Amino acid sequence: QVQPVEAGGGLVQPGGSLRLSCTASGLTLGSYAIGWFRQAPGKDREGVSGIKTGDGSTFYANSVKGRFTISSDNAENTVYLQMNSLKPEDTAGYYCVAGFPYLVLFAAEYDYWGQGTQVTVSS
């Protein structure tokens, strides 16, 4: 079975950086996409970023473009989300998702969801 596992969340001051990682076990021999979605209490779920591991195509929400960078290490089935210049509005639970989407930032396109990792930006 496929089980995405996230790591790297924490508490950081505004302007700081965090690096999230996601390992999607069970997809070693396949071609797939990894996405990051976030949800804060009382807010709608938002597609943050995604990458197609086959060709390296990347996608970003306008709210994070220029601050976040997604990358993949296909040999280790790991995707990283480097988050710089963090703002309080970035505070949310971040979920790694895996699947074979047509629309990379559309949550319904994904079959496999991780448990989430909390990112809190506060000072």
Side-chain angles (χ1 to χ4, degrees):
Q1 64 185 64
V2 176
Q3 178 61 63
V5 178
E6 310 97 326
L11 175 64
V12 65
Q13 295 183 2
S17 298
L18 287 172
R19 189 192 194 200
L20 306 184
S21 65
C22 173
T23 299
S25 62
L27 293 173
T28 302
L29 300 179
S31 180
Y32 59 95
I34 293 289
W36 288 96
F37 290 78
R38 66 186 181 187
Q39 188 165 19
K43 302 292 184 180
D44 292 335
R45 181 185 294 160
E46 178 185 18
V48 176
S49 186
I51 185 168
K52 294 183 176 181
T53 59
D55 64 12
S57 301
T58 58
F59 306 82
Y60 299 94
N62 288 334
S63 59
V64 306
K65 197 171 298 181
R67 299 187 297 119
F68 292 10
T69 303
I70 192 169
S71 61
S72 65
D73 181 343
N74 289 353
E76 297 186 358
N77 282 353
T78 301
V79 168
Y80 302 94
L81 184 66
Q82 179 68 45
M83 306 186 295
N84 297 327
S85 302
L86 284 162
K87 304 174 180 180
E89 53 262 44
D90 295 317
T91 296
Y94 283 71
Y95 297 85
C96 177
V97 300
F100 306 89
Y102 179 72
L103 300 174
V104 175
L105 298 184
F106 186 49
E109 293 286 294
Y110 292 90
D111 295 315
Y112 309 107
W113 288 70
Q115 295 286 90
T117 185
Q118 179 67 34
V119 172
T120 301
V121 185
S122 181
S123 179

